[in-house]
């Protein structure tokens, strides 16, 4: 459901916590926000505040260029984390 979507905005190794049972948790939702509104929702799109940013080494190119956040930007950041592993 689109109402429950959230873009984390700062996925990096320091924001992953591992519990004693081995469960992985994502923390630090300081940059989290809803993804960019759909272009056909003109009022929401005009009032949207853009992508706040995160840690520069993990940002997707479109965020660096002032583009919009979406689930793709978090996937890009997660890919960089996996490459570092």
């Amino acid at each position: 459901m689109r109402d429950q979507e959230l873009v984390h905005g700062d996925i990096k190794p320091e924001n992953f916590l591992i519990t004693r049972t081995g469960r992985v948790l994502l923390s630090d939702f300081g940059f989290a926000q809803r993804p960019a509104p759909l272009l056909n929702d003109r009022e929401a799109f005009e009032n949207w505040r853009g992508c706040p940013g995160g840690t520069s080494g993990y940002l997707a190119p479109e965020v660096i260029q002032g583009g919009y956040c979406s689930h793709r930007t978090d996937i890009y950041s997660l890919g960089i984390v996996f490459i570092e592993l």
Side-chain angles (χ1 to χ4, degrees):
M1 293 173 57
R2 185 160 174 86
D3 291 344
Q4 296 176 350
E5 290 181 13
L6 200 63
V7 175
H8 186 275
D10 196 22
I11 292 182
K12 59 185 177 182
E14 293 86 355
N15 289 338
F16 287 96
L17 306 173
I18 302 175
T19 66
R20 291 182 183 172
T21 60
R23 207 170 147 199
V24 178
L25 304 173
L26 184 59
S27 67
D28 189 6
F29 285 81
F31 287 118
Q33 67 177 17
R34 289 178 180 253
L38 298 174
L39 292 175
N40 60 0
D41 187 354
R42 185 173 183 83
E43 182 180 342
F45 189 77
E46 289 175 354
N47 294 322
W48 187 70
R49 61 186 171 115
C51 199
T55 304
S56 62
Y58 299 93
L59 292 176
E62 62 268 22
V63 175
I64 293 171
Q65 296 170 355
Y68 302 109
C69 291
S70 72
H71 66 281
R72 293 178 193 97
T73 58
D74 280 347
I75 292 170
Y76 182 91
S77 300
L78 186 59
I80 294 175
V81 171
F82 284 144
I83 288 171
E84 290 181 343
L85 288 173

